[in-house]
Amino acid sequence: MKTSTILSAFLLLQPSLTMPLQPRGIKNSLKCAKVNVIQQFTAPWSLQRISATAPVTQNGRANEELSYKYRYTELDDGEGVEVYIVDTGIDVDHPEFGGRARNAISTFDDDLEENSGHGTQIAGAVGSLHYGVAKNVSLVGIKVFSPLFDTKNPAALIANITSGIESAILLHNARKANKNFKGSVMNLGFGFPKELFEAAGNGGIMKKMLEKAVKDGMHVTVAAGDRGKDACEVFPAGFVKDVPGIIVVGATDVFDKRLKNSDFGACVDLHAPGGDIVSTTLKGVNGGVKKDSGTFLAAGLVTGVIAGEIAKNANLRMDPVGMKRLVKDKALKGILRGAEGGGDLLLYTGMPGNPYEEFV
Ligand SMILES: *[C@@H]1O[C@H](CO)[C@@H](O)[C@H](O)[C@H]1NC(C)=O
Ligand SMILES: *[C@@H]1O[C@H](CO)[C@@H](O)[C@H](O)[C@H]1NC(C)=O
């Protein structure tokens, strides 16, 4: 499908999005025991891949086509879970978020505006109506990257990120006392080389902050990095050696092959789709839809799956280590090609079976 087709499809669905929040192309078709199985037949390939055991059959369809099938249950929609996206902020008025997104903090004391689209892409993979895993999660932007940022000052970069992580922990801890607290996931969709951390000299404080996040019962998903090198040499991913409760995610393509640029090795816990992923971007750009590749998008999918698992496993709500074990146990084994010494596991929600595919 050409981008223009995606664009017009998007524009067509905007009016309906302002009314009831039922995504287009989604229907409750099967009743399975007590839980409704919902099928979205307008999904990106990534959502089909994580909800099926079989590889994606394209039958001539392009990667960006929105005719793949995502199957989930109403228990997987992440309702009540807060996801802290530490990044560039979120375009919170994007209709794909149906009012579930807000920007909480900017470490730059600016207007909280998302200027890049990167944070909105992640938010879309986590929980947008059409491209997201958990379609009713609450998305919270924590802005730590800004065009205002002085790139010659790595210490300020690390300080901003660390401060953003701390803000997310404070928001998480403040919600714990609520009777209907459901848990939190923090998404770190970036990575910087070891040299930058060494030059900055304050990386140890960020590591301590991640230790605190895990100790305080917050699930943390981290992008492996996109340099095609050892993920242990990229941070925050490399902190997993000392903070094993965080989950480091590499990226695969539609053929279940590791992306060439996806960082690899012992610090990668598992892989998720990350090549040619359709998601949201700034609503004023290209109709608010963008196809892109990277471990930041793969990490977003894992974040969405964890948000869904929290509802089904109340005992793991505040147990990041137990949740990590569950996500790795459920993942598909021995399918991935090119894992290169770590994380030979492919994200899987555990939805039984495969979608019925009919081609004419
Ligand atoms: C999200 O959950 C609320 C409360 O249960 C419900 O009213 C709303 O319809 C749900 N929205 C979506 C998109 O499922
Ligand atoms: C974020 O970085 C800027 C420099 O670009 C710096 O002025 C500011 O103090 C930093 N904010 C925090 C909270 O560290």
Side-chain angles (χ1 to χ4, degrees), residues 224-259:
D226 303 278
R227 302 185 311 155
K229 295 184 176 167
D230 183 357
C232 295
E233 305 275 290
V234 120
F235 294 90
F239 289 140
V240 73
K241 279 188 286 188
D242 298 320
V243 192
I246 65 175
I247 305 185
V248 177
V249 187
T252 53
D253 66 13
V254 72
F255 307 113
D256 298 337
K257 192 161 182 288
R258 181 179 62 86
L259 296 189

Side-chain angles (χ1 to χ4, degrees), residues 48-76:
Q48 173 164 329
R49 189 65 195 96
I50 66 166
S51 61
T53 52
V56 169
T57 309
Q58 287 189 288
N59 242 50
R61 288 176 294 176
N63 293 349
E64 62 268 38
E65 210 165 299
L66 297 172
S67 64
Y68 297 96
K69 295 185 172 120
Y70 178 39
R71 296 170 312 127
Y72 60 102
T73 77
E74 51 205 352
L75 296 178
D76 303 320

Side-chain angles (χ1 to χ4, degrees), residues 89-92 101-105 112-114 139-143:
I90 304 173
D91 186 352
V92 295
R102 72 175 207 272
N103 282 318
I105 278 141
L112 294 178
E113 188 158 347
E114 142 81 306
L139 299 157
V140 184
I142 310 272
K143 181 174 170 182

Side-chain angles (χ1 to χ4, degrees), residues 122-351:
I122 298 171
V126 175
S128 67
L129 229 35
H130 288 92
Y131 322 111
V133 178
K135 299 185 187 297
N136 210 351
V137 80
S138 298
L139 299 157
V140 184
I142 310 272
K143 181 174 170 182
V144 299
F145 301 120
S146 148
L148 303 176
F149 182 70
D150 171 7
T151 48
K152 290 194 198 70
N153 190 346
L157 173 71
I158 306 300
N160 271 279
I161 297 169
T162 307
S163 158
I165 294 172
E166 181 173 30
S167 301
I169 296 172
L170 289 171
L171 290 167
H172 161 77
N173 284 338
R175 284 169 45 247
K176 279 185 192 166
N178 291 357
K179 208 171 67 228
N180 40 18
F181 170 72
K182 293 253 178 71
S184 325
V185 193
M186 176 162 64
N187 192 97
L188 306 178
F190 50 83
F192 296 97
K194 190 172 77 178
E195 300 75 45
L196 183 137
F197 271 74
E198 280 166 1
N202 53 352
I205 308 173
M206 189 192 291
K207 186 173 87 180
K208 286 230 162 60
M209 203 56 82
L210 290 176
E211 261 161 18
K212 180 167 166 57
V214 169
K215 195 169 121 278
D216 288 0
M218 181 150 69
H219 308 280
V220 183
T221 313
V222 183
D226 303 278
R227 302 185 311 155
K229 295 184 176 167
D230 183 357
C232 295
E233 305 275 290
V234 120
F235 294 90
F239 289 140
V240 73
K241 279 188 286 188
D242 298 320
V243 192
I246 65 175
I247 305 185
V248 177
V249 187
T252 53
D253 66 13
V254 72
F255 307 113
D256 298 337
K257 192 161 182 288
R258 181 179 62 86
L259 296 189
K260 220 169 62 222
N261 288 335
S262 177
D263 288 343
F264 51 79
C267 289
V268 178
D269 289 303
L270 85 163
H271 288 77
D276 288 346
I277 306 299
V278 179
S279 185
T280 46
T281 187
L282 301 180
K283 61 183 170 305
V285 178
N286 194 28
V289 185
K290 182 171 180 175
K291 179 185 80 171
D292 206 351
S293 300
T295 55
F296 72 115
L297 292 161
L301 296 176
V302 173
T303 293
V305 168
I306 292 173
E309 287 297 343
I310 286 176
K312 291 179 288 185
N313 302 277
N315 58 320
L316 298 180
R317 182 175 292 171
M318 294 242 289
D319 177 3
V321 174
M323 178 61 80
K324 176 169 173 171
R325 197 177 307 125
L326 177 75
V327 170
K328 289 177 80 164
D329 281 352
K330 278 190 159 189
L332 303 173
K333 283 126 200 126
I335 283 190
L336 188 64
R337 285 177 300 132
E340 299 276 357
D344 185 7
L345 300 169
L346 189 59
L347 180 67
Y348 175 44
T349 60
M351 177 59 67

